[in-house]
Amino acid sequence: MNIYAQILVDEAERRGIRVEVIDDERGMFVLEHGGKSIRCHESLTDRTSAVAMTICENKSLTHRLLKQAGFSVPEQVVLNKAADPAEICSTARICLKKWGSAVVKPLRGEQGKGITVDVTTPEEVERAYRFAAGDGDEVVLEQYVEGRDLRIVVIDHGFVAAIERTPARVTGDGRHTVLQLVEAANRKLLEQSGGEARIPIDDETRRVIKQSGLDWDEIPPAGKTVPLRKTANFHTGGTIRDVTDQVSPKLRGIAEEASRILDIPVVGIDFLVSDFSGKEYTIIEANERPGLANHEPQPTAERFVDFLFPETKERVKERTGKQGRM
């Protein structure tokens, strides 16, 4: 199974919980203990209601509920999947005049797929719309907010871990082209992540590269950093670092309260922040199936199994020196 399912299966087996794999390719399995049976798709379980899952996978619904509850969220407009270019450009002009820059993304989706960040013209919005609408779904046009990308994991409405995510980038060596540097980075990424992460070689990556005055076939000077994506998702080559100990109690509390508003017991709340104090923050998304392996060595797998089978907590002994997978 992939690393996101495997760490949960490993932790369950350590506690004597029976595991039945349903679909190893999709990371689906059943945990059974003490007459209780719980189905899991990685960190998504049947303890998460269908309503909570529906809310979180729909970026507009998530936005609406959090805004009504008083959380800071970016402004947002949903573009109908039947919108024509003229309608898209008209809406974009109005929004860009107010916001300056925008994010275009699928109404539903994960792992950074179909997202274009920091677009500033109606024509760019229209191209990004086509990219986001690749699966025929509605598209969200959202106010672009700058900040540090923070993912906080909440389990059983309690803060567990946090990572800061940085978008994919390469550094020039004065000898290889941008494309060659990306291909080398991808070979390393595929090996390190077990095939879970890869920098896309697509129009969006090229758009970001061209903002640095370069293109695929150009050789950046030695030491020059070349940004490749504006989204910081691990699956599209972003890097992650643990910042659990740096996140303030205020920001932890905001994440916990957001999980209660969404009524979801295991969730990854995505923030853009100026720092980790919680004085200024924007919630951009809520992930109903967060990748808990990305947070090692924090005890996300342990807290996940604690939540599902609290009676097995006493079987767990302190384990030190645990190495992260990433």
Side-chain angles (χ1 to χ4, degrees), residues 166-325:
T166 303
R169 58 192 62 203
V170 291
T171 302
D173 59 8
R175 295 181 295 113
H176 295 91
T177 67
V178 173
L179 180 58
Q180 289 170 334
L181 292 170
V182 172
E183 289 173 339
N186 271 340
R187 287 192 292 272
K188 194 175 296 185
L189 268 175
L190 290 169
E191 180 181 348
Q192 292 175 344
S193 69
E196 290 291 325
R198 181 181 178 275
I199 301 164
I201 299 176
D202 60 12
D203 289 343
E204 173 58 10
T205 300
R206 187 185 185 201
R207 182 185 76 90
V208 176
I209 292 168
K210 291 186 78 171
Q211 288 179 343
S212 299
L214 295 167
D215 210 334
W216 290 118
D217 58 354
E218 296 186 64
I219 299 175
K224 178 179 175 61
T225 298
V226 183
L228 302 173
R229 305 290 286 189
K230 295 275 183 140
T231 54
N233 300 73
F234 172 73
H235 289 85
T236 54
T239 56
I240 56 180
R241 71 182 185 97
D242 179 57
V243 293
T244 298
D245 295 338
Q246 300 177 42
V247 174
S248 69
K250 181 176 181 178
L251 201 49
R252 295 180 182 206
I254 291 168
E256 291 172 347
E257 183 58 24
S259 78
R260 294 188 186 95
I261 294 298
L262 299 173
D263 195 22
I264 186 165
V266 179
V267 64
I269 307 289
D270 291 344
F271 291 82
L272 290 172
V273 297
S274 56
D275 55 42
F276 301 142
S277 68
K279 292 179 182 177
E280 294 182 6
Y281 75 90
T282 302
I283 297 178
I284 51 174
E285 288 185 15
N287 191 317
E288 75 277 4
R289 183 166 51 96
L292 301 186
N294 292 341
H295 296 266
E296 289 191 307
Q298 297 301 329
T300 50
E302 289 92 326
R303 297 294 84 80
F304 177 82
V305 180
D306 287 349
F307 164 61
L308 298 180
F309 300 96
E311 70 277 10
T312 67
K313 283 185 186 181
E314 294 183 3
R315 297 187 180 206
V316 182
K317 297 180 180 179
E318 281 295 323
R319 294 192 293 272
T320 59
K322 184 175 179 182
Q323 299 298 313
R325 294 175 184 266

Side-chain angles (χ1 to χ4, degrees), residues 60-77:
S60 178
L61 277 174
T62 302
H63 174 277
R64 194 184 315 161
L65 281 177
L66 293 178
K67 183 178 181 180
Q68 289 173 351
F71 293 94
S72 176
V73 295
E75 293 189 41
Q76 195 180 83
V77 173

Side-chain angles (χ1 to χ4, degrees), residues 79-80 83-93 122 125-126 129 141:
L79 299 171
N80 191 286
D84 59 36
E87 181 183 349
I88 295 166
C89 287
S90 175
T91 302
R93 286 190 189 93
V125 170
E126 202 272 322
Y129 170 90
L141 179 62

